[in-house]
Amino acid sequence: MATGVDSVPIPGAPTSGNVAPTPSSTSAPQVHDQEEQYDMSGLRKAFVLCIKENRSGAENELKILKNLLEELNFQVSESIDPIGEDILVSLKKYRDDMESRVCCSFVFILAHGEEGKIHGSDKEAVDLEDIFEMFNNEECPHLQYKPKVFVVQACRGNKIDSGVLPGFRSMEPEPELLPTVSDAFTVYPSQPGFVAYRNDTLGSYMVQEMEKVFKNLADKKHLYDLFVKVNQELVKKTFYPDDKAKTSLVMESTLTKSVYLKVPKP
Protein backbone atom coordinates (compact mmCIF):
# COMPACT_ATOMS: atom_id res chain seq x y z
CA MET A 1 0.00 0.00 0.00
CA ALA A 2 1.37 3.40 -0.96
CA THR A 3 2.13 5.89 1.80
CA GLY A 4 2.17 9.66 1.39
CA VAL A 5 3.70 12.39 3.51
CA ASP A 6 2.26 15.74 4.53
CA SER A 7 5.20 17.99 3.70
CA VAL A 8 4.90 19.60 0.26
CA PRO A 9 1.47 20.66 -1.06
CA ILE A 10 0.40 21.95 -4.46
CA PRO A 11 -2.16 24.70 -5.12
CA GLY A 12 -5.87 23.98 -4.87
CA ALA A 13 -9.14 25.86 -4.71
CA PRO A 14 -10.31 27.23 -1.33
CA THR A 15 -13.69 26.19 -0.04
CA SER A 16 -15.69 28.06 2.58
CA GLY A 17 -16.59 26.31 5.83
CA ASN A 18 -19.78 24.35 6.25
CA VAL A 19 -21.48 23.22 9.43
CA ALA A 20 -22.64 19.63 9.74
CA PRO A 21 -25.83 18.95 11.73
CA THR A 22 -25.51 17.67 15.27
CA PRO A 23 -27.13 14.25 15.72
CA SER A 24 -29.56 13.87 18.55
CA SER A 25 -28.97 10.18 19.17
CA THR A 26 -25.94 10.68 21.41
CA SER A 27 -26.30 12.48 24.71
CA ALA A 28 -23.47 13.53 26.98
CA PRO A 29 -23.50 12.23 30.55
CA GLN A 30 -24.98 14.78 32.92
CA VAL A 31 -23.27 13.65 36.12
CA HIS A 32 -19.67 14.62 36.70
CA ASP A 33 -17.27 15.67 39.43
CA GLN A 34 -16.40 19.28 38.64
CA GLU A 35 -13.17 19.06 40.58
CA GLU A 36 -11.99 15.98 38.68
CA GLN A 37 -13.60 16.12 35.23
CA TYR A 38 -14.42 18.68 32.57
CA ASP A 39 -18.15 19.19 32.14
CA MET A 40 -18.78 17.75 28.66
CA SER A 41 -22.58 18.06 28.79
CA GLY A 42 -22.74 21.31 26.81
CA LEU A 43 -22.38 21.98 23.08
CA ARG A 44 -19.33 20.22 21.62
CA LYS A 45 -17.74 22.07 18.71
CA ALA A 46 -15.10 20.87 16.26
CA PHE A 47 -13.36 22.39 13.26
CA VAL A 48 -11.80 20.27 10.52
CA LEU A 49 -9.33 21.86 8.11
CA CYS A 50 -8.40 19.50 5.30
CA ILE A 51 -6.03 19.92 2.37
CA LYS A 52 -6.96 17.31 -0.23
CA GLU A 53 -4.62 18.42 -3.04
CA ASN A 54 -1.63 16.06 -3.35
CA ARG A 55 -2.73 14.16 -0.22
CA SER A 56 -3.89 10.73 -1.30
CA GLY A 57 -6.50 9.33 1.04
CA ALA A 58 -7.57 12.75 2.31
CA GLU A 59 -11.18 12.20 1.28
CA ASN A 60 -11.41 9.01 3.30
CA GLU A 61 -9.70 10.40 6.40
CA LEU A 62 -12.04 13.37 6.25
CA LYS A 63 -15.06 11.09 6.05
CA ILE A 64 -13.85 8.93 8.94
CA LEU A 65 -13.11 11.95 11.10
CA LYS A 66 -16.43 13.68 10.44
CA ASN A 67 -18.40 10.49 11.14
CA LEU A 68 -16.51 9.94 14.37
CA LEU A 69 -17.05 13.50 15.56
CA GLU A 70 -20.73 13.42 14.72
CA GLU A 71 -21.14 10.09 16.55
CA LEU A 72 -19.56 11.78 19.57
CA ASN A 73 -22.16 14.55 19.36
CA PHE A 74 -19.89 17.27 17.96
CA GLN A 75 -21.13 20.12 15.79
CA VAL A 76 -18.59 20.02 12.99
CA SER A 77 -17.42 22.93 10.83
CA GLU A 78 -15.02 22.35 7.96
CA SER A 79 -12.72 24.16 5.57
CA ILE A 80 -11.54 22.25 2.50
CA ASP A 81 -8.43 23.24 0.50
CA PRO A 82 -8.12 26.79 1.84
CA ILE A 83 -5.22 28.89 0.61
CA GLY A 84 -2.82 30.04 3.30
CA GLU A 85 -4.33 33.45 3.90
CA ASP A 86 -7.78 31.92 4.37
CA ILE A 87 -6.74 29.45 7.07
CA LEU A 88 -6.63 31.97 9.91
CA VAL A 89 -9.73 33.72 8.56
CA SER A 90 -11.79 30.53 8.68
CA LEU A 91 -10.49 29.62 12.12
CA LYS A 92 -11.23 33.11 13.41
CA LYS A 93 -14.82 32.79 12.22
CA TYR A 94 -15.11 29.42 13.98
CA ARG A 95 -13.66 30.92 17.16
CA ASP A 96 -15.83 34.03 17.05
CA ASP A 97 -18.95 31.87 16.81
CA MET A 98 -18.20 30.39 20.24
CA GLU A 99 -20.81 30.93 22.90
CA SER A 100 -21.03 30.28 26.62
CA ARG A 101 -22.85 26.95 26.23
CA VAL A 102 -19.91 25.46 24.30
CA CYS A 103 -18.14 22.96 26.57
CA CYS A 104 -15.08 22.16 24.43
CA SER A 105 -13.33 22.78 21.12
CA PHE A 106 -11.48 20.26 18.98
CA VAL A 107 -9.46 21.53 15.99
CA PHE A 108 -8.22 18.98 13.47
CA ILE A 109 -5.68 20.01 10.82
CA LEU A 110 -5.07 17.61 7.94
CA ALA A 111 -2.44 19.24 5.75
CA HIS A 112 1.13 19.44 4.55
CA GLY A 113 3.58 21.09 6.89
CA GLU A 114 6.99 21.59 8.41
CA GLU A 115 8.24 22.25 11.91
CA GLY A 116 5.87 24.70 13.55
CA LYS A 117 3.95 25.41 10.33
CA ILE A 118 1.20 24.06 8.10
CA HIS A 119 0.68 24.84 4.40
CA GLY A 120 -2.40 26.03 2.59
CA SER A 121 -3.31 24.62 -0.81
CA ASP A 122 -1.22 27.41 -2.40
CA LYS A 123 1.91 26.36 -0.44
CA GLU A 124 1.70 29.45 1.79
CA ALA A 125 2.89 28.62 5.31
CA VAL A 126 0.92 29.43 8.44
CA ASP A 127 2.46 29.31 11.91
CA LEU A 128 0.76 26.80 14.19
CA GLU A 129 1.44 29.12 17.11
CA ASP A 130 -0.79 31.74 15.47
CA ILE A 131 -3.58 29.16 15.44
CA PHE A 132 -3.03 28.06 19.03
CA GLU A 133 -2.96 31.68 20.26
CA MET A 134 -6.37 32.33 18.73
CA PHE A 135 -7.92 29.99 21.28
CA ASN A 136 -6.03 30.96 24.41
CA ASN A 137 -7.77 32.32 27.47
CA GLU A 138 -7.23 35.94 26.43
CA GLU A 139 -8.32 35.59 22.81
CA CYS A 140 -11.22 33.18 23.39
CA PRO A 141 -12.86 33.85 26.77
CA HIS A 142 -15.78 31.51 26.05
CA LEU A 143 -13.35 28.59 26.20
CA GLN A 144 -11.77 29.52 29.51
CA TYR A 145 -11.74 26.53 31.88
CA LYS A 146 -12.81 24.29 28.96
CA PRO A 147 -10.75 21.73 27.02
CA LYS A 148 -9.17 23.00 23.79
CA VAL A 149 -7.75 20.11 21.77
CA PHE A 150 -5.55 20.43 18.67
CA VAL A 151 -4.80 17.43 16.48
CA VAL A 152 -2.34 18.17 13.67
CA GLN A 153 -1.83 15.63 10.90
CA ALA A 154 1.06 17.28 9.04
CA CYS A 155 4.78 16.74 8.60
CA ARG A 156 7.06 18.56 11.01
CA GLY A 157 10.19 18.10 8.90
CA ASN A 158 11.83 15.79 6.40
CA LYS A 159 13.45 13.13 8.61
CA ILE A 160 12.25 9.53 8.38
CA ASP A 161 12.22 7.26 11.43
CA SER A 162 13.69 3.98 10.24
CA GLY A 163 13.04 2.25 13.56
CA VAL A 164 15.24 0.46 16.08
CA LEU A 165 15.39 -3.28 16.69
CA PRO A 166 14.90 -4.20 20.35
CA GLY A 167 18.11 -5.79 21.60
CA PHE A 168 16.55 -8.32 23.98
CA ARG A 169 14.11 -9.84 21.44
CA SER A 170 16.51 -10.44 18.58
CA MET A 171 15.95 -14.25 18.72
CA GLU A 172 12.56 -13.88 17.06
CA PRO A 173 12.42 -14.75 13.31
CA GLU A 174 11.13 -11.27 12.52
CA PRO A 175 11.96 -9.00 15.46
CA GLU A 176 9.35 -6.39 16.35
CA LEU A 177 10.25 -3.02 14.86
CA LEU A 178 10.00 -0.18 17.33
CA PRO A 179 9.84 3.53 16.61
CA THR A 180 12.94 5.40 17.72
CA VAL A 181 10.90 7.27 20.31
CA SER A 182 8.05 5.57 22.18
CA ASP A 183 6.87 4.89 25.73
CA ALA A 184 8.03 8.34 26.78
CA PHE A 185 6.26 11.01 28.82
CA THR A 186 7.73 14.49 29.08
CA VAL A 187 6.60 17.21 31.48
CA TYR A 188 7.76 20.82 31.31
CA PRO A 189 7.19 23.32 34.14
CA SER A 190 6.06 26.11 31.79
CA GLN A 191 5.04 26.92 28.23
CA PRO A 192 7.82 27.28 25.60
CA GLY A 193 9.63 30.58 26.00
CA PHE A 194 8.43 31.18 29.55
CA VAL A 195 10.22 31.00 32.90
CA ALA A 196 9.69 28.37 35.59
CA TYR A 197 9.16 29.29 39.22
CA ARG A 198 11.02 28.14 42.31
CA ASN A 199 10.79 28.96 45.98
CA ASP A 200 14.22 29.99 47.32
CA THR A 201 13.75 27.75 50.34
CA LEU A 202 11.46 24.92 49.34
CA GLY A 203 12.51 24.49 45.72
CA SER A 204 10.40 24.33 42.56
CA TYR A 205 6.64 24.59 42.90
CA MET A 206 6.12 21.74 40.46
CA VAL A 207 8.12 19.33 42.62
CA GLN A 208 6.32 20.53 45.74
CA GLU A 209 2.96 19.77 44.21
CA MET A 210 4.25 16.44 42.88
CA GLU A 211 5.09 15.37 46.39
CA LYS A 212 1.59 16.17 47.68
CA VAL A 213 -0.28 14.66 44.74
CA PHE A 214 1.82 11.52 44.41
CA LYS A 215 1.61 10.74 48.15
CA ASN A 216 -2.17 11.12 48.16
CA LEU A 217 -3.15 9.71 44.78
CA ALA A 218 -0.46 7.38 43.41
CA ASP A 219 -2.56 4.36 44.44
CA LYS A 220 -5.62 5.75 42.62
CA LYS A 221 -4.41 7.42 39.41
CA HIS A 222 -1.94 6.63 36.64
CA LEU A 223 1.00 8.87 35.82
CA TYR A 224 -0.64 11.14 33.27
CA ASP A 225 -3.60 11.82 35.55
CA LEU A 226 -1.27 12.50 38.44
CA PHE A 227 0.38 15.26 36.46
CA VAL A 228 -2.99 16.62 35.39
CA LYS A 229 -3.74 16.95 39.09
CA VAL A 230 -0.36 18.63 39.66
CA ASN A 231 -1.19 21.08 36.90
CA GLN A 232 -4.63 21.67 38.39
CA GLU A 233 -2.96 22.80 41.59
CA LEU A 234 -0.29 24.89 39.85
CA VAL A 235 -2.70 26.91 37.75
CA LYS A 236 -4.44 28.02 40.94
CA LYS A 237 -1.22 29.67 42.12
CA THR A 238 -0.16 33.24 41.40
CA PHE A 239 3.52 34.12 41.39
CA TYR A 240 5.09 37.51 42.00
CA PRO A 241 8.52 37.80 40.30
CA ASP A 242 7.85 41.50 39.62
CA ASP A 243 4.13 41.56 38.97
CA LYS A 244 1.44 38.89 39.03
CA ALA A 245 2.34 35.81 36.98
CA LYS A 246 0.88 32.38 36.24
CA THR A 247 2.18 29.10 34.88
CA SER A 248 0.95 25.82 33.43
CA LEU A 249 2.64 22.50 32.79
CA VAL A 250 3.23 21.13 29.29
CA MET A 251 2.88 17.37 28.86
CA GLU A 252 4.03 15.38 25.83
CA SER A 253 3.44 11.66 25.69
CA THR A 254 4.30 8.68 23.54
CA LEU A 255 3.11 6.23 26.21
CA THR A 256 1.35 3.11 25.01
CA LYS A 257 0.14 1.95 28.45
CA SER A 258 -0.96 3.52 31.72
CA VAL A 259 1.79 3.90 34.31
CA TYR A 260 0.79 3.12 37.89
CA LEU A 261 3.41 3.91 40.50
CA LYS A 262 1.46 1.93 43.09
CA VAL A 263 -0.97 -0.96 42.74
CA PRO A 264 -4.31 0.84 42.28
CA LYS A 265 -6.87 0.28 45.01
CA PRO A 266 -10.07 -1.48 43.87
Side-chain angles (χ1 to χ4, degrees):
M1 180 179 293
T3 301
V5 296
D6 286 326
S7 57
V8 183
I10 62 175
T15 302
S16 60
N18 298 311
V19 178
T22 303
S24 58
S25 59
T26 304
S27 59
Q30 300 297 313
V31 179
H32 71 283
D33 185 338
Q34 292 185 0
E35 188 67 22
E36 297 295 333
Q37 301 177 34
Y38 287 108
D39 180 1
M40 298 292 285
S41 62
L43 175 62
R44 302 178 181 188
K45 296 197 70 172
F47 182 90
V48 180
L49 185 154
C50 181
I51 302 297
K52 294 182 180 179
E53 286 287 338
N54 202 30
R55 293 187 64 251
S56 300
E59 187 70 44
N60 191 56
E61 68 178 352
L62 179 62
K63 178 181 178 181
I64 292 171
L65 183 57
K66 288 174 61 178
N67 287 341
L68 176 62
L69 289 169
E70 289 168 10
E71 287 175 8
L72 294 172
N73 208 32
F74 276 84
Q75 183 184 89
V76 183
S77 302
E78 64 181 51
S79 180
I80 309 301
D81 282 334
I83 59 175
E85 66 179 17
D86 288 342
I87 290 177
L88 294 181
V89 173
S90 60
L91 279 162
K92 183 177 185 301
K93 182 180 185 306
Y94 165 76
R95 180 202 64 186
D96 291 346
D97 286 341
M98 291 291 170
E99 50 188 305
S100 59
R101 66 192 184 107
V102 173
C103 68
C104 64
S105 169
F106 281 58
V107 174
F108 294 83
I109 298 173
L110 314 172
H112 297 287
E114 56 189 286
E115 180 60 40
K117 300 178 186 293
I118 59 169
H119 296 163
S121 58
D122 59 349
K123 298 185 182 180
E124 181 180 344
V126 176
D127 286 341
L128 282 169
E129 193 59 36
D130 290 342
I131 294 174
F132 301 152
E133 287 180 356
M134 291 174 63
F135 296 88
N136 66 25
N137 289 326
E138 181 177 4
E139 298 295 331
C140 191
H142 280 311
L143 287 179
Q144 290 178 1
Y145 301 106
K146 301 173 184 179
K148 298 164 280 286
V149 177
F150 299 91
V151 179
V152 181
Q153 173 56 50
C155 283
R156 303 179 71 188
N158 296 318
K159 292 182 179 180
I160 296 176
D161 188 342
S162 299
V164 176
L165 292 174
F168 63 91
R169 292 186 180 178
S170 58
M171 297 300 293
E172 298 178 6
E174 292 187 17
E176 177 187 5
L177 189 64
L178 297 176
T180 302
V181 178
S182 67
D183 306 294
F185 178 66
T186 305
V187 179
Y188 298 96
S190 62
Q191 301 288 327
F194 288 80
V195 300
Y197 296 102
R198 183 186 71 255
N199 180 279
D200 289 340
T201 302
L202 300 176
S204 73
Y205 292 96
M206 182 175 72
V207 172
Q208 291 179 52
E209 293 303 327
M210 283 176 59
E211 180 185 27
K212 300 173 189 175
V213 170
F214 281 44
K215 282 185 176 180
N216 293 328
L217 298 174
D219 59 347
K220 302 179 181 68
K221 296 179 179 289
H222 58 74
L223 187 64
Y224 186 88
D225 282 352
L226 289 171
F227 274 105
V228 168
K229 184 65 176 178
V230 171
N231 198 37
Q232 183 183 94
E233 297 304 317
L234 281 176
V235 298
K236 296 176 183 176
K237 296 182 179 295
T238 300
F239 305 94
Y240 297 88
D242 294 309
D243 200 353
K244 290 183 179 180
K246 304 289 287 188
T247 194
S248 176
L249 298 186
V250 174
M251 290 170 276
E252 298 177 353
S253 177
T254 58
L255 294 177
T256 58
K257 299 179 182 180
S258 298
V259 178
Y260 284 97
L261 300 178
K262 294 183 179 179
V263 177
K265 290 182 178 179

